[in-house]
Amino acid sequence: MPTPRDKRRVTIVPGGPMLVEGPVELVLDDGTVVESDRFVVAVCACRRSKRFPFCDTSHRARRR
Ligand code: FES
């Protein structure tokens, strides 16, 4: 289990999510803390996800 000071890799996908090595705790702007124990967590960077803060691939939808 990594300690809080271990480096974590974050991969930014152009036009898509940020892939963060898990497990993670995400603190939202209202102070809510969301946890994920997944090996890699896709964090939504476009704010279109219905599962925000997690990516649900809505970033792929084309806008008219
Ligand atoms: S980055 Fe995938 S839904 Fe926002």
Side-chain angles (χ1 to χ4, degrees), residues 3-57:
T3 65
R5 296 203 46 96
D6 287 342
K7 289 182 182 176
R8 297 295 177 112
R9 179 166 291 196
V10 178
T11 304
I12 298 172
V13 179
M18 293 182 288
L19 303 178
V20 183
E21 291 182 357
V24 297
E25 281 185 356
L26 301 170
V27 181
L28 306 185
D29 49 4
D30 66 356
T32 303
V33 177
V34 181
E35 297 182 6
S36 175
D37 292 331
R38 299 186 85 167
F39 184 69
V40 175
V41 181
V43 179
C44 177
C46 75
R47 291 242 169 198
R48 284 187 263 162
S49 174
K50 292 178 179 65
R51 296 183 53 237
F52 190 85
F54 303 111
C55 174
D56 69 353
T57 71

